[in-house]
Amino acid sequence: MSGLGRSSPIGPAMAGLAAWLLAALWLLPMAFALWTAFHPSAFAAHFDPTAPLTLENFSRAWEAAPFARYFLNTSLLVAGVMAGQMILCTLAAYGFARFPFPGAGLVFALVLMQLMIMPDLLLVENYRTIKALGLIDSIAGIGLPYVASAFGIFLLRQTFKGIPRELDDAARIEGCGPLGVLWRVYIPLARPTYVAYGLVSVSYHWNNFLWPLIITNSVSTRPLTVGLSVFAATDQGIDWSVISAATLMTAAPLLIAFLAFQRQFVNSFLRAGIR
Amino acid sequence: MSKRLNALYGWLLILPAVSLLAAFTHLPAVMTLLASVHSTPRGTRPPHFVGLDNYRDMMADPIFWQSLWNNLIYALATIPVSVALALTMALLVNRSFPGRSLARLAFFTPTVLPMIAVANIWLFFYTPDYGLLDRLVGFLGMAHHNWLGERGTALWALIAVAIWKESGFFMIFYLAALQQIPATLREAAALEGAGPWTCFRRVTLPLLMPTTLFVLINALINAFRMVDHVVVMTRGGPDNATSLLLFHIFEVGFRFWDSAYAATLTVVLVTILSLVAALKFHFLDSRTHYR
């Protein structure tokens, strides 16, 4: 670390100070939201250190909109998408990694196109497809376009390719079929990749907004993000205390998970990014 | 196992994923292209071929040009600033000082928040008179300002939000790259009499090039893909001053239900992103030493 420290072009004390200032600046908007959410409306923009703390804004937000339902919808969406992705991407990655077939290279290149042209860019046509399937305003309709993920296939294929063939052969001699080998050898050995991919997938779909906004139009299907935007836009006028509380509430599960598993999160994003 | 059986297994394994992928990426991409040369179906009137009419309309659509221009400014402002900040953050938290992990947390946390939550937080931050920004500005003796409500500042207000959200994400890639640079390289440079600044410019920065390219490309994609904050904070206003390309598509497609014109605009967006993809393959995949 000391060797790394010296490479920075700024003196150590100045660098420490600069880091503090920048971090404080970065925390400012969040601190403001926290302050507003945990104090009575009267203190929303009035920074009095003696202001009483309260959880009332949270209970008001919780009662003012069906957040419990939104939480359920988001959980179902996130779990469903992830389960689908895990299964489909595992099978496809296994196919690409271990069962060479004529044209595999071309098909894989086509798969990778999705990294650039994501389903949420082709809004109109995908809306048409979902409508034709009768899935408008359903949680399945939000998730379906994302279930086959080029990114997941790519990540798992890389991992599977790194697993020594000898293990594969050994399992086959033991009498495993192709799916048995996948289940006994490849999946257990790819665990870190699954964790990384899972975290990225959950964060993406917990936070996704535009596509669910288009697809849903009722309380029973709206995920949290869309529910929050509806709540903040119409129901509340400008009671910032309640809106701040609702905002924090929707981000809380992911935020808490992040604070608890910081290292895993950062590593997952890293693994996921370096592709 | 025979070769043919192997190939059969291969096809069967990829089939479910590939067919879904085709259904929601490749097929709609082709359909979008087709829709862009047809008219929008209205009521009982089916779409008919109109050639390049939609493209001609697009050329004459001031909101399209405004959105494209906005998006360009948005990208050109967001990308360099967030990448430079990411590098600065990484350099700052890469050394040990009291409170380092807290600083790292402060930089990275916006990445985990939903953009919609970020938008709400900043919406309040920007509120005229009442919001923290106006109060800070007032404290410094400057006039109050409707940051999101005025043409001159609205887009910049959104740019600041994007920078705040993205910098910490890019920081982690720089941090990882910095930690991979062997200390001996810098020690060698120091032995040669290179000062810290020379060492940074001549050793560290060149070694970070692949990371910089990677981050730049990602930032470029995000600049054209992320419009959640536009929907929540400004709805493209005032007077289209904050309309980005994807937001304009969203409006045309789902507010005016003009699917043919939305398809035409989508073709432009996909073309831009394909150019980025081409750039990526050209620069990134040939030069990174990640794999």
Side-chain angles (χ1 to χ4, degrees):
Chain A
M1 267 305 152
S2 66
L4 293 170
R6 251 185 288 131
S7 73
S8 180
I10 331 168
M14 284 297 287
L17 189 67
W20 271 104
L21 280 176
L22 196 59
L25 190 70
W26 238 245
L27 280 174
L28 209 58
M30 274 183 292
F32 189 41
L34 276 170
W35 171 277
T36 315
F38 283 103
H39 290 92
S41 311
F43 293 95
H46 177 70
F47 307 108
D48 181 349
T50 63
L53 288 168
T54 176
L55 289 174
E56 208 204 308
N57 297 319
F58 288 89
S59 57
R60 276 174 60 206
W62 189 263
E63 281 156 21
F67 277 107
R69 182 68 214 212
Y70 295 156
F71 265 102
L72 177 69
N73 295 340
T74 291
S75 308
L76 289 175
L77 171 70
V78 165
V81 168
M82 195 168 75
Q85 283 177 335
M86 291 294 176
I87 297 168
L88 289 193
C89 297
T90 299
L91 293 178
Y94 186 46
F96 280 121
R98 285 295 182 251
F99 296 89
F101 51 89
L106 178 69
V107 179
F108 190 61
L110 281 171
V111 166
L112 289 188
M113 270 180 65
Q114 199 214 31
L115 292 177
M116 229 14 106
I117 304 166
M118 276 112 159
D120 35 13
L121 289 179
L122 304 164
L123 299 171
V124 177
E125 287 302 324
N126 280 335
Y127 181 85
R128 216 194 290 268
T129 309
I130 293 292
K131 195 172 177 181
L133 292 172
L135 290 175
I136 294 289
D137 201 23
S138 73
I139 292 173
I142 312 173
L144 197 60
Y146 297 98
V147 166
S149 138
F151 172 51
I153 296 173
F154 177 81
L155 215 58
L156 286 168
R157 173 182 164 272
Q158 293 288 94
T159 312
F160 288 167
K161 280 196 143 185
I163 291 169
R165 280 272 193 184
E166 291 76 31
L167 295 175
D168 193 325
D169 296 337
R172 275 173 204 271
I173 291 165
E174 301 275 317
C176 284
L179 287 180
V181 176
L182 174 63
W183 184 249
R184 301 260 168 84
V185 178
Y186 286 89
I187 294 179
L189 286 173
R191 245 189 79 160
T193 307
Y194 282 107
V195 172
Y197 179 52
L199 282 179
V200 172
S201 164
V202 168
S203 339
Y204 187 89
H205 292 283
W206 192 283
N207 297 343
N208 201 11
F209 173 67
L210 193 62
W211 175 250
L213 173 72
I214 290 168
I215 287 297
T216 61
N217 49 39
S218 64
V219 168
S220 59
T221 54
R222 256 178 222 144
L224 270 172
T225 46
V226 179
L228 176 65
S229 82
V230 171
F231 174 71
T234 58
D235 300 0
Q236 287 313 301
I238 39 165
D239 189 343
W240 280 110
S241 307
V242 177
I243 293 178
S244 293
T247 302
L248 290 178
M249 208 158 66
T250 53
L254 209 57
L255 207 55
I256 291 167
F258 165 62
L259 292 178
F261 304 104
Q262 249 192 85
R263 187 170 292 275
Q264 284 89 331
F265 260 89
V266 171
N267 286 341
S268 311
F269 277 86
L270 266 176
R271 275 179 93 108
I274 300 169
R275 50 193 180 204
Chain B
M1 217 186 315
S2 82
K3 231 180 160 164
R4 289 182 73 159
L5 193 62
N6 238 341
L8 181 69
Y9 269 122
W11 276 111
L12 285 177
L13 284 166
I14 67 159
L15 198 64
V18 166
S19 39
L20 258 185
L21 210 84
F24 288 103
T25 303
H26 304 89
L27 207 62
V30 174
M31 295 302 282
T32 301
L33 196 60
L34 285 176
S36 77
V37 291
H38 285 81
S39 65
T40 299
R42 300 262 184 225
T44 53
R45 247 184 321 149
H48 57 96
F49 183 75
V50 293
L52 293 178
D53 277 5
N54 289 320
Y55 290 91
R56 241 169 262 138
D57 289 347
M58 182 175 77
M59 290 308 202
D61 172 14
I63 306 178
F64 162 68
W65 289 110
Q66 171 93 55
S67 304
L68 194 63
W69 181 242
N70 287 342
N71 222 149
L72 211 64
I73 296 176
Y74 179 85
L76 286 179
T78 317
I79 298 167
V81 177
S82 54
V83 172
L85 269 171
L87 178 57
T88 311
M89 288 169 174
L91 288 169
L92 287 176
V93 299
N94 193 32
R95 48 169 64 234
S96 54
F97 64 92
R100 179 171 77 144
S101 46
L102 191 69
R104 207 167 39 196
L105 192 66
F107 297 147
F108 189 70
T109 305
T111 298
V112 194
L113 295 175
M115 189 46 143
I116 170 100
V118 168
N120 270 345
I121 291 173
W122 281 78
L123 206 54
F124 186 29
F125 193 74
Y126 285 137
T127 310
D129 300 336
Y130 201 49
L132 191 59
L133 186 61
D134 238 11
R135 292 165 60 90
L136 285 175
V137 164
F139 186 72
L140 296 174
M142 286 186 278
H144 286 211
H145 206 92
N146 187 358
W147 301 95
L148 290 169
E150 278 168 36
R151 284 197 66 105
T153 49
L155 187 60
W156 297 100
L158 292 189
I159 288 169
V161 175
I163 292 170
W164 184 74
K165 178 142 171 60
E166 277 189 345
S167 301
F169 180 59
F170 299 145
M171 170 193 76
I172 63 169
F173 296 100
Y174 274 125
L175 254 182
L178 279 173
Q179 278 159 10
Q180 272 169 8
I181 298 177
T184 45
L185 276 181
R186 274 175 261 208
E187 276 153 21
L191 275 180
E192 295 285 326
W197 177 247
T198 316
C199 182
F200 172 73
R201 231 166 31 109
R202 293 289 171 81
V203 179
T204 313
L205 211 51
L207 285 170
L208 290 177
M209 250 336 253
T211 312
T212 305
L213 274 173
F214 165 79
V215 164
L216 278 176
I217 302 264
N218 264 289
L220 200 56
I221 298 170
N222 281 350
F224 287 94
R225 254 194 51 207
M226 184 49 106
V227 296
D228 296 1
H229 50 328
V230 180
V231 177
V232 175
M233 296 177 78
T234 62
R235 301 209 149 262
D239 195 16
N240 301 314
T242 57
S243 175
L244 301 181
L245 206 48
L246 184 58
F247 180 77
H248 188 39
I249 295 173
F250 167 68
E251 289 252 299
V252 169
F254 296 95
R255 203 159 303 253
F256 309 130
W257 297 99
D258 188 349
S259 56
Y261 186 43
T264 313
L265 293 167
T266 307
V267 171
V268 174
L269 181 60
V270 169
T271 308
I272 292 174
L273 285 171
S274 305
L275 287 177
V276 178
L279 267 180
K280 178 185 149 135
F281 285 124
H282 186 69
F283 283 112
L284 207 58
D285 295 350
S286 52
R287 277 214 246 163
T288 39
H289 45 238
Y290 286 131
R291 266 182 242 168

